[in-house]
Amino acid sequence: MSEEVEDDGDWPEMGEMLVCTISSVKQNGVYVDLDGYPGKEGFIFIGEVASGWVKNIRSHVREGQRVVAKALKVRRDRQSIELSIKMVSEERRRDALQRWKNEQRANQLLRIVGERSNWDDEKLKATSEELIETFGTLYSSFEESAIDNEALANEGIEGDWTALFIETAIENIIPDSVLIRAIAEIEIHAAVGIEAIRSTLTEVEKCSSKSEEVEICCYYDGAPEYRIELTAPDWEIAEKNWTKVESTISDHITDDIGTAVIIRE
């Protein structure tokens, strides 16, 4: 009889949804390789393969099949883990498979960055661990960098390789949206004062486009700094609309009333 033990970092957590590959089908259950934990094996009892009575186990599973299973118990000797397929809903199965595919892709992309940066295996592993610790998953680090070019820098991750990492992310990851963030340092010398700034930023926000799914928001960060954030479906649309933002500011803050310096983050 199996007993629960504390996780030592080498095994998945209880209740975790795991992508597995069936290695062997037996009369009383199936053995699986845990794809996210190389070298680790799990077992699914026949009663956990499917809901209801399983007359012929091979009518439900086969060798080489990739499945999603829920972690139930870790064996005391740490040699195996008990899993369940029937306790995984279709929605969770799809989500787990997508996350697994995303991580596989992210690992491939990081290897490309490593090869082009002349990393050895130790450097590749250390960088991967740092990114996972910072962003939660490796894929998230690429996704966040594709959305926001300053994502790595904002987390204190630096190095010559980061430019290549960001470039790789933008070329290979299609995020739901991308973000351009900038600080506009606006100073008014004329009597129009704050009203000129308010009207200018209002016009900037009007550069938003429902048809292109572009949203522009302005925030007061403390005079003379005003933060501008532009969200768009992709970088091409974002850059096109950002040009409108810059033009709007230059058209409204002319030399005779003040100055405006835009610094992209």
Side-chain angles (χ1 to χ4, degrees):
M1 182 176 179
S2 53
E3 299 179 14
E4 297 178 6
V5 296
E6 293 184 0
D7 177 67
D8 63 359
D10 294 327
W11 290 87
E13 296 180 1
M14 306 292 289
E16 184 176 346
M17 299 298 166
L18 303 169
V19 177
C20 314
T21 300
I22 295 176
S23 57
S24 178
V25 179
K26 304 296 183 181
Q27 190 173 11
N28 67 330
V30 296
Y31 287 96
V32 297
D33 294 324
L34 309 186
D35 292 356
Y37 297 82
K40 299 297 188 296
E41 184 181 62
F43 185 75
I44 305 171
F45 286 102
I46 188 170
E48 296 295 335
V49 169
S51 299
W53 182 48
V54 178
K55 182 178 180 180
N56 181 3
I57 192 171
R58 290 187 178 275
S59 65
H60 296 273
V61 291
R62 65 183 185 280
E63 280 91 352
Q65 180 181 355
R66 180 163 286 128
V67 299
V68 176
K70 182 178 180 179
L72 298 181
K73 297 179 181 179
V74 176
R75 289 190 180 278
R76 190 170 185 175
D77 57 10
R78 303 291 179 100
Q79 295 302 304
S80 186
I81 181 172
E82 292 180 19
L83 306 158
S84 173
I85 294 175
K86 75 176 185 180
M87 294 181 66
V88 181
S89 67
E90 179 60 24
E91 181 181 1
R92 290 195 172 190
R93 186 190 71 83
R94 288 196 302 266
D95 289 345
L97 280 174
Q98 188 59 57
R99 287 195 301 271
W100 179 80
K101 290 177 181 178
N102 287 345
E103 283 302 283
Q104 294 296 108
R105 187 180 185 194
N107 275 291
Q108 293 175 350
L109 294 177
L110 188 62
R111 280 195 290 271
I112 291 173
V113 173
E115 289 173 1
R116 294 175 63 181
S117 302
N118 297 316
W119 291 350
D120 56 20
D121 290 343
E122 184 176 346
K123 172 63 175 177
L124 182 65
K125 181 180 179 182
T127 303
S128 176
E129 291 175 349
E130 180 183 17
L131 292 170
I132 291 172
E133 181 179 355
T134 302
F135 292 95
T137 67
L138 190 57
Y139 183 82
S140 293
S141 67
F142 279 99
E143 187 175 44
E144 290 297 323
S145 296
I147 295 171
D148 181 359
N149 291 353
E150 296 298 318
L152 295 179
N154 290 340
E155 295 294 340
I157 299 176
E158 301 176 342
D160 296 338
W161 59 274
T162 57
L164 177 58
F165 185 95
I166 295 168
E167 178 185 332
T168 303
I170 293 173
E171 290 177 353
N172 293 276
I173 304 296
I174 302 177
D176 293 333
S177 63
V178 298
L179 173 68
I180 293 179
R181 185 186 292 116
I183 296 296
E185 296 182 353
I186 303 175
E187 296 187 61
I188 302 298
H189 309 310
V192 288
I194 190 64
E195 184 56 37
I197 297 176
R198 182 182 293 111
S199 62
T200 297
L201 297 180
T202 297
E203 290 303 312
V204 166
E205 291 187 336
K206 287 182 180 178
C207 291
S208 299
S209 170
K210 287 186 177 180
S211 61
E212 291 188 303
E213 299 180 17
V214 174
E215 182 179 7
I216 303 170
C217 297
C218 300
Y219 305 91
Y220 175 62
D221 277 1
E225 296 185 351
Y226 301 85
R227 178 163 42 94
I228 303 172
E229 294 185 353
L230 183 153
T231 305
D234 58 52
W235 284 109
E236 183 178 355
I237 293 175
E239 293 294 350
K240 182 182 70 173
N241 284 272
W242 183 254
T243 300
K244 297 178 183 178
V245 170
E246 293 181 327
S247 296
T248 298
I249 293 175
S250 61
D251 288 344
H252 285 74
I253 308 298
T254 53
D255 293 340
D256 59 320
I257 68 167
T259 61
V261 178
I262 302 173
I263 306 170
R264 281 181 59 164
E265 296 182 347

